[in-house]
């Protein structure tokens, strides 16, 4: 029971960040956002090249994953994991609210086209990464029992999930998004 209470702060921080992101968009507005109609029109006319897009995604996602993993080996792991969970919730909340404010129900379809199918891998991958970081923190600083072999196997599975997300985001998402924007 103690282990469950220890880990329960990550989903609650994610939900809190999500709700604050929506609230921020409602109060602040999204006049110059990426989802503004003129920016979407420009985006739909200029599709990125797959190799450059993939390299950028690997660099962008890889830096974040490496930073989270490295911070998990320090005493800052709970703070880092909590901030990361809140930021992920905030990001999804602001994008969802901005798309709904700009386009109504049609914006919900735009939101789904932008995150599908990669978030089927990213969502669990990032969640398991944060849980893995907290487990590593518990083994390192709280002297909980920790098996290196199990830790490395879990990290490999987490990286496979996140790699699958990058693969889908670089190959499938542009086709889905640009196909949607062509009829938007």
């Amino acid at each position: 029971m103690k282990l469950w209470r220890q880990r329960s702060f990550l989903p609650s921080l994610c939900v809190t960040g999500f709700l604050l992101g929506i609230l921020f968009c409602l109060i602040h507005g999204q006049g110059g956002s990426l989802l503004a109609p003129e920016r979407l029109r420009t985006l739909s006319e200029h599709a990125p090249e797959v190799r450059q897009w993939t390299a950028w995604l690997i660099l962008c996602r890889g830096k974040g994953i490496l930073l989270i993993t490295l911070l998990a080996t320090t005493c800052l792991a709970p703070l880092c994991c909590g901030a990361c969970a809140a930021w992920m919730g905030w990001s999804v909340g602001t994008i969802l609210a901005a798309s709904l404010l700009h386009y109504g129900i049609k914006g919900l379809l735009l939101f789904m086209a932008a995150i599908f199918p990669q978030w089927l891998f990213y969502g669990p991958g990032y969640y398991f990464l944060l849980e893995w970081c907290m487990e590593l923190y518990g083994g390192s600083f709280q002297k909980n029992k920790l098996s290196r072999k199990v830790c490395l196997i879990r990290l490999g599975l987490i990286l496979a999930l996140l790699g699958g997300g990058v693969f889908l985001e670089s190959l499938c998402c542009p086709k889905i998004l640009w196909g949607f924007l062509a009829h938007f």
Side-chain angles (χ1 to χ4, degrees):
M1 189 70 167
K2 181 181 175 185
L3 188 60
W4 181 81
R5 270 190 253 126
Q6 181 182 14
R7 292 184 182 170
S8 66
F9 77 96
L10 293 175
S12 61
L13 281 175
C14 189
V15 170
T16 302
F18 176 76
L19 295 174
L20 288 174
I22 291 173
L23 186 63
F24 176 80
C25 275
L26 292 175
I27 293 171
H28 181 266
Q30 290 295 309
S33 77
L34 179 64
L35 296 172
E38 60 277 356
R39 292 213 178 147
L40 278 183
R41 191 173 25 265
T42 304
L43 182 65
S44 68
E45 295 168 359
H46 303 288
E49 190 210 303
V50 174
R51 284 187 182 177
Q52 291 175 338
W53 179 244
T54 304
W56 181 81
L57 281 174
I58 290 171
L59 181 67
C60 181
R61 305 287 186 246
K63 285 190 297 188
I65 292 166
L66 183 62
L67 180 66
I68 293 168
T69 306
L70 289 176
L71 286 174
T73 62
T74 70
C75 61
L76 297 175
L79 181 65
C80 170
C81 291
C84 187
W87 178 255
M88 285 182 205
W90 173 277
S91 300
V92 172
T94 56
I95 292 170
L96 179 61
S99 63
L100 285 171
L101 285 173
H102 278 295
Y103 306 106
I105 296 299
K106 201 171 163 183
L108 184 60
L109 297 173
L110 174 65
F111 175 75
M112 294 304 294
I115 67 165
F116 187 79
Q118 68 270 18
W119 273 97
L120 294 174
F121 288 83
Y122 281 151
Y126 278 113
Y127 176 76
F128 292 143
L129 178 64
L130 295 177
E131 288 293 334
W132 178 85
C133 290
M134 290 304 299
E135 189 174 313
L136 189 63
Y137 169 79
S140 300
F141 294 96
Q142 297 176 339
K143 305 299 182 206
N144 295 344
K145 190 174 181 179
L146 192 62
S147 166
R148 282 188 198 190
K149 183 179 178 182
V150 171
C151 244
L152 289 174
I153 290 171
R154 285 184 184 162
L155 181 61
L157 292 173
I158 290 166
L159 292 177
L161 272 173
L162 294 172
V166 168
F167 175 76
L168 289 173
E169 188 173 7
S170 64
L171 296 178
C172 297
C173 184
K175 292 176 186 173
I176 294 170
L177 186 58
W178 271 265
F180 183 79
L181 288 176
H183 301 291
F184 196 64

